[in-house]
Amino acid sequence: MQKITVKAGSDIALIKYWGKKDKILRLPANGSISMILDSLFSTTTVEFSLSLSADEVLIAGEVEEGESSRVVKHLDRIRSLAKSNGLIDKDIFAKVVSENNFPKSTGLSSSSSGFAALTIAASKAIGLNLSEKELSILARQGSGSACRCVCGGFVEWLDGETSSESYAQSFAGPNDFLIRDLVTIVSEDKKNLSSTQGHDLAETSPFFAARQQKISAKLDAVKKAIFSNDFITLGELVEAEALEFHSILLTSSPTILLFYPGTIEVMQLVRSLRSSGVPVYFTINTGFNVHVLTLPEYEDQVLMALKKLPSVQKIIASSVGLKPQYLEQHLF
Ligand code: PMV
């Protein structure tokens, strides 16, 4: 059996997936839109071998029980698909090695790119030949937002009522709208909330139902702003969405407060740059690190201002990324 290596970009949700209507199948409460990032990625090598008596999983050089068992469950899904396609008749185990080029468990969506890379590499390594839609449906079951990271450019995840209806597709290419994302790291602490725990609490916020009512209009407005390269409208929508999302977290029961002082400093800096005429906006996922979005011609100015903040540890500047790629060079 072939050894396969895949590199997949992480993404940043412009309209967030938050809450699930089916926990087992990971059907989201609402549709979402993201852009794939080319400078933050996971690389994963998978090889199935008859000589293994169990799966071996190494992520970022560590064997971590919780993460490994999620990966093994995902390999089980892929094995059972391979069985139903007549490719294997008994369980065959895999060695999986995965690396990220950015800090994991800090709210920068390493599980999205990780599960996208794993899905593509493992399904190919076992002999399956899946379409992008099939890969997206499969990746979704490993980690919801991973279904977007099997695509490139600007991506929409259709919420769907059934598993086969809930997948992502790209609606604009990486070069259709040249946005820069300055991923601003104020801490590499491991976040103390897994997104799975957070999704389960979404409905406890009294504002969750109100969010659901407006979400499809928001999705349409974001797509329209992307199609028309209207950065100001997009930025206003995306920043308001990030604050609405964190309002849901802040008002869940128990409450969830993820911001660090550095997070607030970056948010305030973005707003003060904007009031001086610079087109720049922020968005934040389940963490304290901030995605600062701007246009290429303003990037240096924004970078310089961010670097002056004492709380900023590191900035990874990214463009909108391509879909995942197969690599010739393996991790083992
Ligand atoms: O895919 P998960 O379970 O890691 O959840 C992702 C949740 C957010 O990052 C906050 C939003 C999103 O759409 O990526």
Side-chain angles (χ1 to χ4, degrees):
M1 284 199 161
Q2 260 184 303
K3 184 186 282 191
I4 303 287
T5 300
V6 171
K7 172 182 165 187
S10 171
D11 71 342
I12 176 62
L14 305 175
I15 297 293
K16 318 281 185 196
Y17 144 51
W18 200 240
K20 295 177 194 162
K21 59 186 166 207
D22 185 317
K23 284 185 199 168
I24 311 279
L25 289 173
R26 287 184 208 273
L27 296 183
N30 58 272
S32 56
I33 289 177
S34 74
M35 58 186 210
I36 305 299
L37 301 174
D38 74 344
S39 301
L40 284 82
F41 52 84
S42 302
T43 308
T44 303
T45 300
V46 179
E47 183 173 37
F48 286 89
S49 161
L50 290 168
S51 62
L52 293 172
S53 55
D55 295 316
E56 285 176 13
V57 180
L58 201 65
I59 302 172
E62 289 169 21
V63 184
E64 207 262 307
E65 220 177 282
E67 276 178 339
S68 303
S69 76
R70 237 173 119 184
V71 169
V72 169
K73 262 198 198 150
H74 202 52
L75 292 171
D76 286 341
R77 287 184 193 104
I78 291 164
R79 276 186 279 263
S80 91
L81 205 55
K83 270 188 205 157
S84 61
N85 278 266
L87 292 166
I88 53 171
D89 51 14
K90 63 176 175 67
D91 277 344
I92 171 166
F93 297 100
K95 176 166 176 178
V96 176
V97 176
S98 187
E99 304 281 351
N100 306 306
N101 76 332
F102 59 101
K104 71 180 178 88
S105 309
T106 61
L108 294 177
S109 298
S110 54
S111 69
S112 314
S113 45
F115 272 89
L118 173 69
T119 304
I120 300 171
S123 57
K124 180 94 173 164
I126 210 163
L128 287 161
N129 197 4
L130 303 178
S131 65
E132 187 179 276
K133 178 176 165 183
E134 289 167 321
L135 288 167
S136 180
I137 291 168
L138 190 55
R140 188 200 76 233
Q141 296 168 65
S143 174
S145 49
C147 77
R148 297 187 306 237
C149 294
V150 304
C151 309
F154 294 87
V155 178
E156 179 172 21
W157 174 7
L158 309 166
D159 57 339
E161 290 305 318
T162 61
S163 186
S164 59
E165 287 171 5
S166 187
Y167 59 93
Q169 58 194 14
S170 148
F171 62 88
N175 294 322
D176 288 343
F177 195 1
L178 299 179
I179 296 179
R180 299 288 289 167
D181 181 0
L182 308 177
V183 183
T184 303
I185 297 172
V186 298
S187 171
E188 295 196 14
D189 284 357
K190 301 284 173 237
K191 59 178 180 158
N192 54 15
L193 173 92
S194 75
S195 53
T196 306
Q197 292 165 317
H199 287 294
D200 289 351
L201 296 179
E203 281 177 34
T204 64
S205 164
F207 303 126
F208 185 71
R211 168 172 172 73
Q212 295 307 305
Q213 276 173 14
K214 292 190 308 173
I215 205 91
S216 86
K218 281 219 246 188
L219 290 163
D220 288 346
V222 162
K223 273 191 286 188
K224 196 167 157 213
I226 292 171
F227 285 134
S228 52
N229 279 18
D230 179 349
F231 185 71
I232 304 295
T233 302
L234 180 69
E236 293 289 336
L237 286 162
V238 166
E239 191 170 301
E241 159 69 358
L243 292 170
E244 178 180 297
F245 164 62
H246 277 271
S247 312
I248 301 282
L249 298 180
L250 289 165
T251 52
S252 290
S253 174
T255 56
I256 305 165
L257 170 59
L258 298 173
F259 297 159
Y260 279 13
T263 317
I264 306 279
E265 262 180 30
V266 174
M267 290 155 83
Q268 296 289 14
L269 175 72
V270 165
R271 291 193 156 205
S272 95
L273 283 169
R274 211 158 63 224
S275 63
S276 69
V278 181
V280 59
Y281 294 88
F282 63 76
T283 182
I284 308 169
N285 277 352
T286 42
F288 28 76
N289 295 319
V290 188
H291 293 256
V292 177
L293 307 179
T294 192
L295 292 169
E297 54 271 39
Y298 294 93
E299 177 173 348
D300 288 346
Q301 189 183 346
V302 175
L303 262 178
M304 234 157 46
L306 284 169
K307 281 183 184 161
K308 284 195 190 132
L309 292 179
S311 52
V312 171
Q313 294 185 358
K314 192 165 145 190
I315 301 168
I316 309 175
S318 186
S319 304
V320 184
L322 296 165
K323 64 192 231 172
Q325 290 168 266
Y326 290 105
L327 301 185
E328 297 293 325
Q329 203 163 356
H330 304 297
L331 296 180
F332 63 88

